[in-house]
């Protein structure tokens, strides 16, 4: 996790006991989606929502989907129907299908 934030937070992050929503743009190049794997590995409470057609600002670039994902995470509304699940595998991040690249995905995705 060091070098991802230029701050080693692995110990603290691994001990967070509450649900965690990590939001990532699938097309991010400065921090590609593969950089999220250590966060998902050290804390099973972490859930990843990947937004296609988004880079560093999914909350701006995909605001409607972002708001829906946050509300669903907080228990306010159901997850958008077009979101799909792509589980983290032992080999790494599982590839997304076409539907996930437009809306989002739980736990993992690819750049």
């Amino acid at each position: 996790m060091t070098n991802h934030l230029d701050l080693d937070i692995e110990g603290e992050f691994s001990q967070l006991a509450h649900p965690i929503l990590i939001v990532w743009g699938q097309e991010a190049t400065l921090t590609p989606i593969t950089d999220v794997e250590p966060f998902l590995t050290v804390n099973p409470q972490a859930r990843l929502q990947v937004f296609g057609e988004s880079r560093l600002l999914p909350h701006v670039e995909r605001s409607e989907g972002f708001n829906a994902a946050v509300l669903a995470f907080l228990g306010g509304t159901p997850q958008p129907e077009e979101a799909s699940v792509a589980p983290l595998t032992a080999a790494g991040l599982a590839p997304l299908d076409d539907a996930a690249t437009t809306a989002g995905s739980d736990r993992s995705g690819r750049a």
Side-chain angles (χ1 to χ4, degrees), residues 18-101:
H18 53 79
I20 303 161
L21 178 63
I22 299 173
V23 178
W24 217 284
Q26 185 171 354
E27 297 175 17
T29 54
L30 183 61
T31 55
I33 191 66
T34 53
D35 286 356
V36 78
E37 190 168 6
F39 294 96
L40 300 174
T41 302
V42 301
N43 193 318
Q45 297 294 328
R47 177 176 162 224
L48 175 62
Q49 183 73 40
V50 176
F51 288 90
E53 299 179 17
S54 179
R55 293 181 185 256
L56 292 176
L57 305 171
H59 59 288
V60 173
E61 299 162 330
R62 305 285 293 183
S63 59
E64 288 184 28
F66 174 85
N67 289 339
V70 170
L71 286 172
F73 178 75
L74 297 174
T77 61
Q79 184 68 20
E81 288 182 25
E82 58 271 8
S84 68
V85 175
L88 184 66
T89 66
L93 298 170
L96 295 175
D97 61 19
D98 289 338
T101 62

Side-chain angles (χ1 to χ4, degrees), residues 1-2 6 8 12 14 16 21 32 36 44-45 49 53 65 70-71 75 78 80-81 83 100 104 107-110:
M1 295 179 84
T2 303
D6 291 331
D8 187 3
E12 292 85 359
S14 68
L16 293 175
L21 178 63
V36 78
Q45 297 294 328
Q49 183 73 40
E53 299 179 17
V70 170
L71 286 172
E81 288 182 25
R107 293 296 289 177
S108 64
R110 63 177 174 162

